[in-house]
PDB file of all heavy atoms in Angstrom:
ATOM      1  N   ARG C 165       5.530   1.480   3.599  1.00  0.00           N
ATOM      2  CA  ARG C 165       4.721   1.676   2.403  1.00  0.00           C
ATOM      3  C   ARG C 165       5.579   1.574   1.142  1.00  0.00           C
ATOM      4  O   ARG C 165       5.167   1.016   0.138  1.00  0.00           O
ATOM      5  CB  ARG C 165       4.029   3.041   2.502  1.00  0.00           C
ATOM      6  CG  ARG C 165       3.661   3.721   1.211  1.00  0.00           C
ATOM      7  CD  ARG C 165       2.468   3.082   0.544  1.00  0.00           C
ATOM      8  NE  ARG C 165       2.244   3.682  -0.756  1.00  0.00           N
ATOM      9  CZ  ARG C 165       2.894   3.321  -1.849  1.00  0.00           C
ATOM     10  NH1 ARG C 165       3.780   2.354  -1.807  1.00  0.00           N
ATOM     11  NH2 ARG C 165       2.639   3.914  -2.987  1.00  0.00           N
ATOM     12  N   ARG C 214      10.345  10.592  -5.874  1.00  0.00           N
ATOM     13  CA  ARG C 214       9.160  10.120  -5.158  1.00  0.00           C
ATOM     14  C   ARG C 214       8.990  10.853  -3.850  1.00  0.00           C
ATOM     15  O   ARG C 214       7.883  11.250  -3.486  1.00  0.00           O
ATOM     16  CB  ARG C 214       9.302   8.625  -4.830  1.00  0.00           C
ATOM     17  CG  ARG C 214       8.983   7.726  -5.982  1.00  0.00           C
ATOM     18  CD  ARG C 214       9.194   6.281  -5.542  1.00  0.00           C
ATOM     19  NE  ARG C 214       9.247   5.378  -6.669  1.00  0.00           N
ATOM     20  CZ  ARG C 214       8.158   4.946  -7.306  1.00  0.00           C
ATOM     21  NH1 ARG C 214       6.971   5.342  -6.929  1.00  0.00           N
ATOM     22  NH2 ARG C 214       8.287   4.130  -8.321  1.00  0.00           N
ATOM     23  N   ARG C 225      -2.757  17.157   1.699  1.00  0.00           N
ATOM     24  CA  ARG C 225      -3.775  16.502   2.514  1.00  0.00           C
ATOM     25  C   ARG C 225      -3.690  16.951   3.961  1.00  0.00           C
ATOM     26  O   ARG C 225      -3.934  16.200   4.878  1.00  0.00           O
ATOM     27  CB  ARG C 225      -3.646  14.986   2.396  1.00  0.00           C
ATOM     28  CG  ARG C 225      -4.200  14.494   1.060  1.00  0.00           C
ATOM     29  CD  ARG C 225      -3.764  13.097   0.761  1.00  0.00           C
ATOM     30  NE  ARG C 225      -4.443  12.139   1.600  1.00  0.00           N
ATOM     31  CZ  ARG C 225      -4.196  10.843   1.605  1.00  0.00           C
ATOM     32  NH1 ARG C 225      -3.276  10.369   0.812  1.00  0.00           N
ATOM     33  NH2 ARG C 225      -4.848  10.039   2.383  1.00  0.00           N
ATOM     34  N   HIS C 228       0.665  18.537   8.720  1.00  0.00           N
ATOM     35  CA  HIS C 228       1.510  19.609   9.250  1.00  0.00           C
ATOM     36  C   HIS C 228       2.202  19.132  10.526  1.00  0.00           C
ATOM     37  O   HIS C 228       2.204  19.786  11.555  1.00  0.00           O
ATOM     38  CB  HIS C 228       0.694  20.867   9.513  1.00  0.00           C
ATOM     39  CG  HIS C 228      -0.530  20.632  10.364  1.00  0.00           C
ATOM     40  ND1 HIS C 228      -1.659  20.033   9.909  1.00  0.00           N
ATOM     41  CD2 HIS C 228      -0.759  20.901  11.663  1.00  0.00           C
ATOM     42  CE1 HIS C 228      -2.531  19.945  10.896  1.00  0.00           C
ATOM     43  NE2 HIS C 228      -2.009  20.466  11.970  1.00  0.00           N
ATOM     44  N   ARG C 233      -2.715  15.923  15.760  1.00  0.00           N
ATOM     45  CA  ARG C 233      -3.111  14.800  14.899  1.00  0.00           C
ATOM     46  C   ARG C 233      -3.805  13.739  15.736  1.00  0.00           C
ATOM     47  O   ARG C 233      -3.409  13.474  16.867  1.00  0.00           O
ATOM     48  CB  ARG C 233      -1.856  14.223  14.270  1.00  0.00           C
ATOM     49  CG  ARG C 233      -2.054  13.596  12.922  1.00  0.00           C
ATOM     50  CD  ARG C 233      -0.712  13.206  12.347  1.00  0.00           C
ATOM     51  NE  ARG C 233      -0.675  11.789  12.075  1.00  0.00           N
ATOM     52  CZ  ARG C 233      -1.209  11.262  10.982  1.00  0.00           C
ATOM     53  NH1 ARG C 233      -1.754  12.005  10.078  1.00  0.00           N
ATOM     54  NH2 ARG C 233      -1.177   9.959  10.778  1.00  0.00           N
ATOM     55  N   THR C 234      -4.852  13.144  15.184  1.00  0.00           N
ATOM     56  CA  THR C 234      -5.498  12.020  15.871  1.00  0.00           C
ATOM     57  C   THR C 234      -5.254  10.751  15.071  1.00  0.00           C
ATOM     58  O   THR C 234      -4.694  10.805  13.984  1.00  0.00           O
ATOM     59  CB  THR C 234      -7.031  12.259  15.990  1.00  0.00           C
ATOM     60  OG1 THR C 234      -7.525  12.632  14.712  1.00  0.00           O
ATOM     61  CG2 THR C 234      -7.320  13.327  16.999  1.00  0.00           C
ATOM     62  N   MET C 236      -7.028   6.974  13.549  1.00  0.00           N
ATOM     63  CA  MET C 236      -8.285   6.255  13.303  1.00  0.00           C
ATOM     64  C   MET C 236      -8.444   5.125  14.338  1.00  0.00           C
ATOM     65  O   MET C 236      -9.515   4.933  14.887  1.00  0.00           O
ATOM     66  CB  MET C 236      -8.280   5.685  11.906  1.00  0.00           C
ATOM     67  CG  MET C 236      -9.475   4.794  11.642  1.00  0.00           C
ATOM     68  SD  MET C 236      -9.684   4.403   9.902  1.00  0.00           S
ATOM     69  CE  MET C 236      -8.223   3.496   9.527  1.00  0.00           C
TER      70      MET C 236
ATOM     71  N   ASP K  95       1.407   6.126  -7.129  1.00  0.00           N
ATOM     72  CA  ASP K  95       2.333   5.546  -6.158  1.00  0.00           C
ATOM     73  C   ASP K  95       2.902   6.573  -5.191  1.00  0.00           C
ATOM     74  O   ASP K  95       3.166   6.277  -4.043  1.00  0.00           O
ATOM     75  CB  ASP K  95       3.512   4.888  -6.902  1.00  0.00           C
ATOM     76  CG  ASP K  95       3.225   3.428  -7.155  1.00  0.00           C
ATOM     77  OD1 ASP K  95       2.584   2.819  -6.286  1.00  0.00           O
ATOM     78  OD2 ASP K  95       3.647   2.925  -8.188  1.00  0.00           O
ATOM     79  N   ASN K  96       3.078   7.800  -5.701  1.00  0.00           N
ATOM     80  CA  ASN K  96       3.762   8.786  -4.876  1.00  0.00           C
ATOM     81  C   ASN K  96       2.841   9.676  -4.071  1.00  0.00           C
ATOM     82  O   ASN K  96       3.237  10.730  -3.596  1.00  0.00           O
ATOM     83  CB  ASN K  96       4.650   9.682  -5.769  1.00  0.00           C
ATOM     84  CG  ASN K  96       5.732   8.860  -6.442  1.00  0.00           C
ATOM     85  OD1 ASN K  96       5.895   7.680  -6.138  1.00  0.00           O
ATOM     86  ND2 ASN K  96       6.452   9.483  -7.332  1.00  0.00           N
ATOM     87  N   ASP K 106      -4.445   4.772   4.723  1.00  0.00           N
ATOM     88  CA  ASP K 106      -4.108   5.889   3.854  1.00  0.00           C
ATOM     89  C   ASP K 106      -5.269   6.858   3.720  1.00  0.00           C
ATOM     90  O   ASP K 106      -5.097   8.063   3.760  1.00  0.00           O
ATOM     91  CB  ASP K 106      -3.679   5.400   2.470  1.00  0.00           C
ATOM     92  CG  ASP K 106      -3.254   6.565   1.599  1.00  0.00           C
ATOM     93  OD1 ASP K 106      -2.149   7.074   1.856  1.00  0.00           O
ATOM     94  OD2 ASP K 106      -4.012   6.974   0.731  1.00  0.00           O
ATOM     95  N   GLU K 112      -7.014  12.351   9.916  1.00  0.00           N
ATOM     96  CA  GLU K 112      -6.132  12.289  11.096  1.00  0.00           C
ATOM     97  C   GLU K 112      -5.355  13.572  11.229  1.00  0.00           C
ATOM     98  O   GLU K 112      -5.131  14.087  12.335  1.00  0.00           O
ATOM     99  CB  GLU K 112      -5.153  11.100  10.968  1.00  0.00           C
ATOM    100  CG  GLU K 112      -5.800   9.746  11.212  1.00  0.00           C
ATOM    101  CD  GLU K 112      -4.827   8.585  10.994  1.00  0.00           C
ATOM    102  OE1 GLU K 112      -3.776   8.798  10.386  1.00  0.00           O
ATOM    103  OE2 GLU K 112      -5.142   7.475  11.455  1.00  0.00           O
ATOM    104  N   ASN K 113      -4.925  14.118  10.083  1.00  0.00           N
ATOM    105  CA  ASN K 113      -4.124  15.347  10.118  1.00  0.00           C
ATOM    106  C   ASN K 113      -4.871  16.530  10.681  1.00  0.00           C
ATOM    107  O   ASN K 113      -4.261  17.419  11.269  1.00  0.00           O
ATOM    108  CB  ASN K 113      -3.639  15.688   8.708  1.00  0.00           C
ATOM    109  CG  ASN K 113      -2.520  14.780   8.280  1.00  0.00           C
ATOM    110  OD1 ASN K 113      -1.827  14.189   9.093  1.00  0.00           O
ATOM    111  ND2 ASN K 113      -2.346  14.639   6.978  1.00  0.00           N
ATOM    112  N   MET K 116      -9.464  14.885  13.644  1.00  0.00           N
ATOM    113  CA  MET K 116     -10.842  14.450  13.771  1.00  0.00           C
ATOM    114  C   MET K 116     -10.927  13.303  14.799  1.00  0.00           C
ATOM    115  O   MET K 116      -9.997  12.537  14.924  1.00  0.00           O
ATOM    116  CB  MET K 116     -11.266  13.946  12.397  1.00  0.00           C
ATOM    117  CG  MET K 116     -12.718  14.019  12.109  1.00  0.00           C
ATOM    118  SD  MET K 116     -12.985  13.484  10.416  1.00  0.00           S
ATOM    119  CE  MET K 116     -12.871  15.042   9.592  1.00  0.00           C
ATOM    120  N   ARG K 122     -13.433   6.850  11.078  1.00  0.00           N
ATOM    121  CA  ARG K 122     -13.859   5.563  10.526  1.00  0.00           C
ATOM    122  C   ARG K 122     -15.070   5.757   9.612  1.00  0.00           C
ATOM    123  O   ARG K 122     -15.158   5.146   8.554  1.00  0.00           O
ATOM    124  CB  ARG K 122     -14.207   4.599  11.663  1.00  0.00           C
ATOM    125  CG  ARG K 122     -12.952   3.981  12.289  1.00  0.00           C
ATOM    126  CD  ARG K 122     -13.285   2.809  13.153  1.00  0.00           C
ATOM    127  NE  ARG K 122     -13.789   3.231  14.455  1.00  0.00           N
ATOM    128  CZ  ARG K 122     -13.011   3.536  15.488  1.00  0.00           C
ATOM    129  NH1 ARG K 122     -11.701   3.417  15.380  1.00  0.00           N
ATOM    130  NH2 ARG K 122     -13.513   3.927  16.636  1.00  0.00           N
TER     131      ARG K 122
END
Side-chain angles (χ1 to χ4, degrees):
Chain C
R165 153 74 186 83
R214 280 179 194 282
R225 284 165 73 184
H228 53 285
R233 209 173 122 81
T234 49
M236 173 168 63
Chain K
D95 268 325
N96 297 353
D106 184 74
E112 285 177 344
N113 285 337
M116 206 176 269
R122 281 194 282 274

